[in-house]
Amino acid sequence: MAWTKPMPAHPVVAVAGATGAVGREMLKCLEQLDFPASEVRVLASARSAGQTLPFAGCGQVPAGELTIQEMTEESFQGVDIALFSAGASVSKKFRQAVTEAGAVMIDNSSAFRVDPDVPLVVPEVNAAAIAEHNGVIANPNCTTIQMVVALEPLRALGHIDRIIVSSYQSSSGAGAKGMEELQVQTGQYLAGEEFEPKAFAHQIAFNCIPHIDVFVDGDYLNDVPEGYTKEEWKMVVETKKIFADDSIEVAPTCVRVPVLRCHSESINIEFDRPVSVEAVKEALANGTHVTLEDDPANNVYPMPALHADSFETFVGRVRRDHTVGDDKGIALWVVADQLLRGAALNAVYIAQALLPQE
Ligand code: A2P
């Protein structure tokens, strides 16, 4: 059954998981986009209840301190939009309470992404899918979002048959605890101290770990070939769903690297027809929320250290993949702040798309 409750022009917005790495960025996005909220309610676990978070204000909400409330089933009374980033189990636990309260849940976790009745949305690519929601809209995985934002402008040049992608994912992808572990462990390593990895399976300081999330064999996603991680298979399944294209083949390798913030991706794409490097650059330069940063002669290309806190997806190193015949192959390098573009900002863009259009 389709969702019929109209969205007010000045919605009440709840941020569920407001103290987390993504939750804090959600608050910043509401501020920076001046989201027309009438109230912003910040929710977290009982551990954080009563503490405050600074807020610069947005819409009808003045600047000041927001007091954190413990998330309970009653928290969503009067809420219109609930931005969730507190983990999949919390999203599953509260889904019913949120939708029964009449709020639309925009969920950053993997809980509902593959459900056929839940749209999986990157507004620059498939905003139209939002209209099909029935109370829940899923925010895709961060590595998938920045890839599809970068590739969307290229889909007008030909059908993308195949993608080979390797990710270089920052420690903040594992939440606030991941970022802290990289910082603390780097100091411990340099001081020659003993340390024990907690947020990651191995040492993250001065290391790369080709293992993000668990190695899967079904469950969340069916028919996973042996040897892939859940993070990798999310990229396969989510790319097909967002592009509404089951024929697109994706071969991912996801790697955690000792970078604080911003994911990078090396992407090789194979089109169904010849496509020139110049046409790709022109399409990227005109892409929505995409910035072409590609001047290798002057050492200009996107790098994660440069782009934390940016809303854009940066693309560089655009070149021919000479291993694909008939000029059908292109290689490129993509960098974006995954906490923003790959999570919080995408969720707030979805919230903007829910507002009544003038
Ligand atoms: P809290 O800070 O009170 O633990 P991150 O992804 O950075 O680890 O953040 C997770 C977010 O989800 C935090 O805001 C955390 O709140 C919140 N959270 C985790 N478990 C629960 C829970 N059971 N109920 C409500 N919020 C939760």
Side-chain angles (χ1 to χ4, degrees):
M1 210 177 69
W3 190 260
T4 50
K5 186 173 171 250
M7 184 60 66
H10 297 286
V12 174
V13 178
V15 177
T19 52
V22 172
R24 287 172 189 271
E25 299 304 321
M26 285 172 164
L27 290 171
K28 279 199 220 162
C29 291
L30 294 171
E31 291 168 349
Q32 287 182 32
L33 294 173
D34 195 18
F35 191 83
S38 56
E39 181 190 335
V40 173
R41 212 174 278 183
V42 285
L43 309 172
S45 76
R47 292 180 290 276
S48 310
Q51 296 171 18
T52 58
L53 291 170
F55 190 62
C58 72
Q60 300 175 338
V61 185
E65 297 284 323
L66 299 175
T67 303
I68 301 164
Q69 300 173 26
E70 179 185 356
M71 197 185 328
T72 68
E73 298 195 343
E74 284 69 52
S75 305
F76 302 96
Q77 291 306 321
V79 170
D80 300 297
I81 296 174
L83 302 169
F84 260 74
S85 190
S89 58
V90 176
S91 297
K92 285 181 186 160
K93 183 175 161 197
F94 286 99
R95 174 184 185 162
Q96 199 177 345
V98 172
T99 54
E100 280 183 2
V104 180
M105 176 190 242
I106 301 174
D107 182 38
N108 190 53
S109 81
S110 62
F112 314 116
R113 288 183 190 145
V114 293
D115 287 9
D117 64 335
V118 173
L120 181 68
V121 176
V122 177
E124 292 87 341
V125 180
N126 64 338
I130 293 174
E132 293 156 22
H133 85 84
N134 191 19
V136 182
I137 301 166
N139 214 31
N141 173 260
C142 50
T143 43
T144 309
I145 293 178
Q146 71 183 67
M147 182 170 84
V148 300
V149 168
L151 296 187
E152 173 63 15
L154 308 186
R155 294 171 76 214
L157 305 176
H159 182 264
I160 297 174
D161 290 342
R162 182 170 181 229
I163 301 169
I164 300 172
V165 52
S166 297
S167 70
Y168 301 66
Q169 297 183 221
S170 62
S171 63
S172 49
K177 63 183 185 314
M179 215 172 340
E180 192 190 334
E181 183 147 319
L182 173 58
Q183 283 167 320
V184 172
Q185 204 179 81
T186 301
Q188 291 169 322
Y189 181 93
L190 291 173
E193 293 169 9
E194 295 273 313
F195 53 81
E196 189 192 333
K198 291 198 187 86
F200 304 104
H202 299 278
Q203 166 188 333
I204 184 64
F206 304 98
N207 196 17
C208 296
I209 308 172
H211 174 186
I212 300 180
D213 209 330
V214 292
F215 284 92
V216 272
D217 53 6
D219 185 20
Y220 166 65
L221 312 149
N222 295 326
D223 305 326
V224 185
E226 202 179 330
Y228 281 87
T229 62
K230 188 167 167 181
E231 184 81 354
E232 289 160 352
W233 213 248
K234 283 175 194 168
M235 293 191 81
V236 176
V237 176
E238 294 182 18
T239 301
K240 289 174 189 275
K241 183 166 175 177
I242 298 161
F243 282 155
D245 180 0
D246 265 344
S247 70
I248 192 163
E249 297 291 359
V250 186
T253 304
C254 292
V255 182
R256 186 76 68 194
V257 297
V259 165
L260 275 176
R261 200 165 155 151
C262 290
H263 288 353
S264 306
E265 294 174 0
S266 162
I267 303 176
N268 289 55
I269 47 179
E270 188 175 334
F271 287 95
D272 66 345
R273 67 196 73 179
V275 171
S276 73
V277 171
E278 292 67 33
V280 168
K281 287 189 182 178
E282 193 186 337
L284 290 167
N286 293 320
T288 308
H289 298 149
V290 174
T291 298
L292 180 66
E293 199 175 49
D294 198 15
D295 182 10
N298 290 304
N299 299 343
V300 173
Y301 26 72
M303 289 184 284
L306 301 182
H307 293 313
D309 293 319
S310 174
F311 284 5
E312 288 288 288
T313 295
F314 296 86
V315 187
R317 299 290 322 277
V318 180
R319 63 204 188 277
R320 168 81 46 224
D321 177 346
H322 67 278
T323 66
V324 181
D326 302 327
D327 290 342
K328 293 178 179 172
I330 291 287
L332 35 82
W333 173 251
V334 177
V335 173
D337 182 327
Q338 93 287 351
L339 293 176
L340 287 171
R341 176 67 259 192
L345 179 67
N346 198 70
V348 177
Y349 280 160
I350 294 172
Q352 281 185 322
L354 287 170
L355 293 169
Q357 306 301 312
E358 281 153 22

